[in-house]
């Protein structure tokens, strides 16, 4: 076993060791259930530091290829364990459907624009005459560029924000690379990093976005990328201020390693975010890729997001898609173009922004009255501190309410348990819901004796 592994390794870096072992696992030469040699024995055989082997093992564990079981040793995992290890699977796992599901992170369907008029207006247009056409409708690209927070060298359209993140990570990140990520973060993003064997390095947030000191400390770890949500951060609702964006750009520009970092901005909330568009690309256009999604604002079925930034990176994404889907449906692109330029749709989205803000403000204020500090400054989600995550979820489930657990969002423990509630789906009954949330949070609840009722009577 030891000789098999040593013979497969020609690059004795942590990345090289992990890649070689990964190949042995994929080819079946190290079958599922195999117990791997100890870190020290591998290091001794290769003539390298045990720290290097440990880092390789961590990368393989993050990718779901191996698992360390304490004193029992480290074992090769079967390939079908991937689904079980996904943070996203833990986020969506519920024993039964509850009548009031506020766990999903999806927009309110009734606040989305109606697609039917746009479909009628574009009619039976023949939008594709060749497999060799450009991936973006020319008129749509003009509109997107006009809305972009900085002038992108190149722009393309893909099938949603996660498709964009997946493809950009495939271009910019390799096995064992360190990537700076906000803590907490969107769980599927962490899953994507795990699948390529990257090492997420947490950076902390405050009310204005990523904390500059935390970013500076993270850059000392020699990361290859920084992934962030500039507006309506999921799960906290934080939107980065223009002043903070300028500070972060200055930190990157002033750090010896900052110029090598690819910055990927996931503006997933798009037109339903209350904060104006903001991007580090205003200061660092050569290294910032900005993603603008239209799923939460214009409709999940559009499955469209625009990607704009340095030509080398965006072209790599567009070129790789030529070997798969080729392009995103031009019919859907035409629908999006119509929606972006239709005055009635613009008014609908303005109304949706106001309504989401109203819902956030009402529940935030009601919770504050009950001693629960859970600000929701933007977007459709609320990050609620609780004394015990599992107890809070069970307490709410007893009243027919589902919320998402906080742990899948965390890279490192935050010191306080949380749950995420999609406040954008709460239409009324804010006081009664706040009673239940405050009780579940385990904090003070001065109004519980007066208003504690089940949602069956109060939330419709």
């Amino acid at each position: 076993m030891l000789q098999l592994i040593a013979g497969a390794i020609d690059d004795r870096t942590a990345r090289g060791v992990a890649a070689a072992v990964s190949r042995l696992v994929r080819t079946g030469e190290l079958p599922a259930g195999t117990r791997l040699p100890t870190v020290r024995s591998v290091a001794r055989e290769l003539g390298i530091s045990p720290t290097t082997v440990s880092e390789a093992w961590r990368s393989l564990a993050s990718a779901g290829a191996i698992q360390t079981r304490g004193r029992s040793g480290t074992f090769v995992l079967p390939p079908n364990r991937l689904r079980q290890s996904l943070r996203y699977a833990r986020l969506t796992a519920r024993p039964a459907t509850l009548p009031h599901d506020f766990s999903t992170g999806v927009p309110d369907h009734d606040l989305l624009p109606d697609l039917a008029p746009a479909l009628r207006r574009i009619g039976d247009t023949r939008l594709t005459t060749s497999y060799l056409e450009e991936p973006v409708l020319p008129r749509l690209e003009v509109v997107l560029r006009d809305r972009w927070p900085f002038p992108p060298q190149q722009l393309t359209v893909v099938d949603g924000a996660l498709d964009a993140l997946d493809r950009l990570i495939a271009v910019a990140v390799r096995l064992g690379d360190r990537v700076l990520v906000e803590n907490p973060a969107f769980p599927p993003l962490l899953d994507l990093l795990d699948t390529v064997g990257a090492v997420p390095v947490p950076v902390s947030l405050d009310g204005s976005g990523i904390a500059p000191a935390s970013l500076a400390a993270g850059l000392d770890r020699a990361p290859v990328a920084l992934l962030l949500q500039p507006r309506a951060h999921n799960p906290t609702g934080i939107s980065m201020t223009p002043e903070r964006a300028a500070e972060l750009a200055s930190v990157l520009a002033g750090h010896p390693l900052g110029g090598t970092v690819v910055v990927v901005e996931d503006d997933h909330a798009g037109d339903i975010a209350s904060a104006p568009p903001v991007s580090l690309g205003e200061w660092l256009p050569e290294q910032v890729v900005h993603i603008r999604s239209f799923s939460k604002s214009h409709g999940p079925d559009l499955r469209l997001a625009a990607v704009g930034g340095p030509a080398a990176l965006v072209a790599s994404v567009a070129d790789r898609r030529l070997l798969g889907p080729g392009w995103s449906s031009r019919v859907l692109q035409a629908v999006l173009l119509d929606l972006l330029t239709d005055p009635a749709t613009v008014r609908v989205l303005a109304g949706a922004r106001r309504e989401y803000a109203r819902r956030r403000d009402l529940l935030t204020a009601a919770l504050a009255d009950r001693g629960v500090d859970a600000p929701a400054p933007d977007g459709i989600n609320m990050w609620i501190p609780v004394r015990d995550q599992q107890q809070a979820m069970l307490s709410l489930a007893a009243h027919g309410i589902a919320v998402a657990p906080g742990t899948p969002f965390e890279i490192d423990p935050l010191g306080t348990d949380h749950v995420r509630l999609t406040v954008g789906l709460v239409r009324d009954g804010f006081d009664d819901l706040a009673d239940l949330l405050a009780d579940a949070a385990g904090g003070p609840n001065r109004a519980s004796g007066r208003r504690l009722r089940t949602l069956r009577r109060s939330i419709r």
Side-chain angles (χ1 to χ4, degrees):
M1 171 75 62
L2 188 57
Q3 287 71 32
L4 172 65
I5 293 174
I9 295 171
D10 52 20
D11 176 1
R12 283 170 163 72
T13 65
R15 183 185 300 180
V17 172
V21 174
S22 179
R23 285 193 297 270
L24 292 173
V25 171
R26 287 199 307 272
T27 60
E29 294 173 84
L30 288 176
T34 299
R35 180 177 178 176
L36 296 178
T38 66
V39 167
R40 289 193 177 277
S41 64
V42 174
R44 187 166 50 249
E45 181 72 19
L46 295 175
I48 59 178
S49 164
T51 302
T52 301
V53 180
S54 293
E55 186 175 341
W57 260 222
R58 282 196 300 272
S59 297
L60 290 163
S62 295
I66 65 174
Q67 182 183 55
T68 298
R69 301 172 186 167
R71 293 185 178 180
S72 297
T74 300
F75 296 83
V76 176
L77 293 176
N80 60 3
R81 286 184 59 89
L82 176 61
R83 171 68 186 175
Q84 301 171 28
S85 67
L86 289 176
R87 289 170 178 261
Y88 193 51
R90 285 183 276 149
L91 184 66
T92 57
R94 291 182 297 279
T97 301
L98 296 175
H100 307 288
D101 192 350
F102 301 138
S103 71
T104 59
V106 301
D108 186 337
H109 182 272
D110 291 343
L111 296 180
L112 295 170
D114 185 0
L115 302 186
L119 288 167
R120 286 194 294 269
R121 283 191 291 267
I122 68 170
D124 189 25
T125 305
R126 302 299 197 268
L127 296 168
T128 302
T129 59
S130 166
Y131 290 107
L132 304 177
E133 293 182 10
E134 292 298 316
V136 186
L137 288 178
R139 286 181 56 217
L140 177 59
E141 180 165 354
V142 170
V143 171
L144 290 173
R145 284 183 174 276
D146 186 58
R147 297 162 57 93
W148 221 246
F150 65 95
Q153 291 180 0
Q154 187 164 333
L155 188 146
T156 194
V157 170
V158 298
D159 298 335
L162 272 177
D163 184 35
L165 288 167
D166 185 14
R167 295 179 183 281
L168 286 165
I169 288 170
V171 168
V173 180
R174 295 291 180 267
L175 181 68
D177 283 344
R178 295 183 180 89
V179 178
L180 302 181
V181 187
E182 298 155 320
N183 190 32
F186 186 43
L189 170 60
L190 301 177
D191 288 335
L192 287 174
L193 293 175
D194 283 347
T195 60
V196 299
V199 180
V201 176
V203 289
S204 60
L205 297 162
D206 60 25
S208 300
I210 292 174
S214 183
L215 174 60
L219 290 173
D220 291 339
R221 302 283 303 277
V224 301
L226 164 64
L227 307 181
L228 64 94
Q229 301 174 59
R231 295 193 292 174
H233 176 269
N234 184 359
T236 67
I238 292 168
S239 285
M240 180 170 62
T241 64
E243 295 77 15
R244 177 56 55 83
E247 284 185 81
L248 298 179
S250 178
V251 170
L252 283 161
H255 195 280
L257 302 176
T260 65
V261 175
V262 175
V263 180
V264 179
E265 299 174 336
D266 174 19
D267 191 3
H268 62 95
D271 287 358
I272 61 169
S274 297
V278 62
S279 171
L280 273 68
E282 183 177 344
W283 297 271
L284 303 171
E286 298 294 328
Q287 62 189 98
V288 176
V289 183
H290 189 80
I291 302 167
R292 177 73 61 84
S293 173
F294 299 96
S295 293
K296 287 188 176 67
S297 56
H298 293 76
D301 276 339
L302 284 178
R303 307 306 304 150
L304 292 179
V307 182
L313 286 168
V314 179
S316 295
V317 169
D319 290 348
R320 178 62 184 86
R321 294 189 87 224
L322 292 175
L323 302 177
W327 63 85
S328 296
S329 165
R330 291 192 176 91
V331 173
L332 295 180
Q333 290 190 48
V335 172
L336 177 60
L337 173 62
D338 182 276
L339 295 173
L340 292 177
T341 55
D342 173 47
T345 301
V346 173
R347 290 192 294 272
V348 167
L349 291 176
R353 278 195 302 276
R354 290 192 296 270
E355 177 59 17
Y356 284 132
R358 183 187 76 88
R359 297 176 185 185
R360 294 194 307 268
D361 291 346
L362 285 172
L363 189 55
T364 299
L367 284 171
D369 286 345
R370 291 152 179 81
V372 178
D373 182 21
D378 208 343
I380 62 175
N381 295 302
M382 176 177 280
W383 188 235
I384 304 175
V386 296
R387 186 170 298 166
D388 182 276
Q389 170 190 285
Q390 287 304 113
Q391 288 299 320
M393 294 180 67
L394 288 171
S395 173
L396 292 168
H399 293 279
I401 305 168
V403 294
T407 50
F409 295 84
E410 299 176 7
I411 303 170
D412 283 345
L414 295 169
T416 302
D417 280 7
H418 290 79
V419 297
R420 187 197 68 178
L421 179 140
T422 305
V423 65
L425 296 177
V426 182
R427 300 183 179 185
D428 51 25
F430 294 93
D431 283 333
D432 296 288
L433 177 57
D435 281 336
L436 297 174
L437 290 170
D439 186 62
N445 181 5
R446 293 188 293 273
S448 61
R450 186 172 69 252
R451 286 196 296 263
L452 188 58
R453 308 176 183 90
T454 67
L455 290 192
R456 191 171 291 113
R457 293 177 55 193
S458 61
I459 299 178
R460 295 173 293 277

